[in-house]
Amino acid sequence: MSYVDGFVCAVPAANWEKYRERATGAALAFKKHGALSFVECWGDDVPDGKLTSFPMSVKCQPDETAVFSWVVWPSRQARDEGMKKAMQDRRVDPRTNPMPFAARG
């Protein structure tokens, strides 16, 4: 059975291009280390919910957009092994490639 990792983050509109570049590199790294697919969804028309929503979950500021992405792996074991390797890849490692988004929520 496939295994899916999902991520939601708040990206400042001014960092859209930086985010896109980093996401492209991350997709290549995850696929190199076993992921089947990598999808990025830039929130275009995502209102706050009454109880919760993607923007609310990451405490989006007025100048930020909620982004939802996911990675599909062939199995949990492949994910565990691949994620460990991907996080050491320069394209993903936040020590060598700073994240252009807010890590909160």
Side-chain angles (χ1 to χ4, degrees):
M1 179 187 305
S2 296
Y3 189 85
V4 178
D5 277 317
F7 310 91
V8 181
C9 61
V11 180
N15 287 354
W16 180 83
E17 189 59 41
K18 287 180 186 176
Y19 180 85
R20 203 178 111 192
E21 289 172 12
R22 190 172 198 285
T24 298
L28 294 170
F30 285 124
K31 288 178 180 179
K32 175 183 178 183
H33 299 295
L36 301 174
S37 63
F38 183 92
V39 179
E40 291 288 327
C41 301
W42 184 265
D44 182 36
D45 185 17
V46 185
D48 284 343
K50 292 183 181 181
L51 300 176
T52 190
S53 64
F54 284 139
M56 291 170 66
S57 72
V58 292
K59 301 175 183 155
C60 270
Q61 302 301 306
D63 66 327
E64 296 176 331
T65 300
V67 175
F68 174 54
S69 60
W70 67 91
V71 183
V72 179
W73 303 89
S75 66
R76 173 68 190 257
Q77 180 180 353
R79 180 267 187 193
D80 290 347
E81 294 169 3
M83 183 64 81
K84 185 175 180 179
K85 291 175 185 174
M87 293 308 292
Q88 295 172 358
D89 189 299
R90 64 174 173 70
R91 295 169 289 192
V92 179
D93 187 343
R95 295 171 299 177
T96 58
N97 191 357
M99 296 182 284
F101 57 87
R104 61 177 162 336

